[in-house]
Amino acid sequence: GENVEQHPSTLSVQEGDSAVIKCTYSDSASNYFPWYKQELGKGPQLIIDIRSNVGEKKDQRIAVTLNKTAKHFSLHITETQPEDSAVYFCAASKTGRRALTFGSGTRLQVQP
Amino acid sequence: NAGVTQTPKFQVLKTGQSMTLQCAQDMNHEYMSWYRQDPGMGLRLIHYSVGAGITDQGEVPNGYNVSRSTTEDFPLRLLSAAPSQTSVYFCASSLPGQGAEQYFGPGTRLTVT
């Protein structure tokens, strides 16, 4: 089955800096890659996603890039703010399988 | 819309006890699923359902049962709780179609002693 690896497990940045979280996946048939943000005591919430027919997608300060050849995708957060502090999860799925395979998560801390 | 609701928020069980974690959604979503979240392991799929009357196993189904008698509800049953089932459990729902956004509930923190 699919295996998704996520790095780093923790990331501390200064407010205003950029943060990058990377994931690799094993199943070349995977074609949908969402990113979720989980705040303390809450369930994960979708923040951005990308499909395999697109190399990059941007939404304000958040962007995701996908390299299908290398089977990796990354989340980029620019101009980080303290409210960006949370745990971020990458995930992958493929056509015919709605269930998501999640990475192990990255705890992002933005220092004011 | 209340979205996805889960009860209880916290639960402590003794080894061997059984219980049901409740999950309900009011968005008329066909797809519902249960995940468990353990430190350093992300979320792992326990069971899922593509519609009322249809359920299937996920990655870690052992020790859990589910049923889906209505579109709205998807309870998760622990048959005989074990310490290894200490975890945070999340229910999620989505519209049909791969790539549809999954909406997660607030979670149930379960401790088995």
Side-chain angles (χ1 to χ4, degrees):
Chain A
E2 174 68 280
N3 183 48
V4 177
E5 294 192 357
Q6 183 172 347
H7 301 280
S9 57
T10 60
L11 180 59
S12 183
V13 301
Q14 291 295 123
E15 182 177 358
D17 287 350
S18 295
V20 180
I21 302 170
K22 299 182 179 181
C23 289
T24 60
Y25 60 98
S26 61
D27 189 344
S28 57
S30 290
N31 56 5
Y32 174 66
F33 308 94
W35 285 88
Y36 284 81
K37 177 183 181 181
Q38 185 179 26
E39 296 177 339
L40 195 62
K42 297 184 178 181
Q45 185 171 14
L46 181 71
I47 55 171
I48 196 167
D49 57 12
I50 192 168
R51 298 174 196 277
S52 60
N53 59 346
V54 176
E56 183 174 359
K57 184 176 179 181
K58 193 173 182 181
D59 182 4
Q60 299 183 350
R61 295 185 298 108
I62 294 174
V64 57
T65 58
L66 171 64
N67 183 326
K68 285 189 296 182
T69 303
K71 289 191 283 187
H72 68 71
F73 55 112
S74 301
L75 177 71
H76 304 253
I77 306 174
T78 59
E79 301 172 22
T80 54
Q81 302 167 3
E83 51 265 38
D84 294 329
S85 296
V87 179
Y88 291 82
F89 291 97
C90 62
S93 74
K94 59 185 178 183
T95 302
R97 176 175 165 78
R98 268 177 282 186
L100 296 170
T101 300
F102 283 85
S104 55
T106 296
R107 183 173 298 278
L108 173 64
Q109 191 159 16
V110 181
Q111 309 284 357
Chain B
N1 281 355
V4 180
T5 58
Q6 292 183 237
T7 57
K9 285 188 71 66
F10 302 94
Q11 182 71 50
V12 179
L13 291 178
K14 294 188 187 305
T15 297
Q17 287 184 318
S18 63
M19 78 159 295
T20 299
L21 307 184
Q22 301 291 345
C23 173
Q25 52 89 13
D26 61 359
M27 298 174 281
N28 203 31
H29 286 168
E30 291 185 10
Y31 182 79
M32 296 185 74
S33 54
W34 277 101
Y35 293 86
R36 60 177 288 173
Q37 183 177 26
D38 301 295
M41 299 187 73
L43 291 89
R44 291 181 293 168
L45 183 67
I46 304 171
H47 285 285
Y48 64 97
S49 169
V50 299
I54 307 169
T55 64
D56 207 344
Q57 295 182 350
E59 184 184 350
V60 288
N62 292 343
Y64 308 95
N65 270 3
V66 292
S67 60
R68 184 94 179 272
S69 56
T70 67
T71 299
E72 294 78 20
D73 300 297
F74 190 42
L76 178 73
R77 296 184 189 84
L78 279 70
L79 309 172
S80 177
S84 61
Q85 293 178 304
T86 293
S87 189
V88 181
Y89 292 85
F90 289 99
C91 178
S93 74
S94 73
L95 290 169
Q98 190 246 3
E101 178 177 355
Q102 292 202 31
Y103 293 83
F104 285 82
T108 294
R109 183 174 293 274
L110 175 68
T111 301
V112 183
T113 61

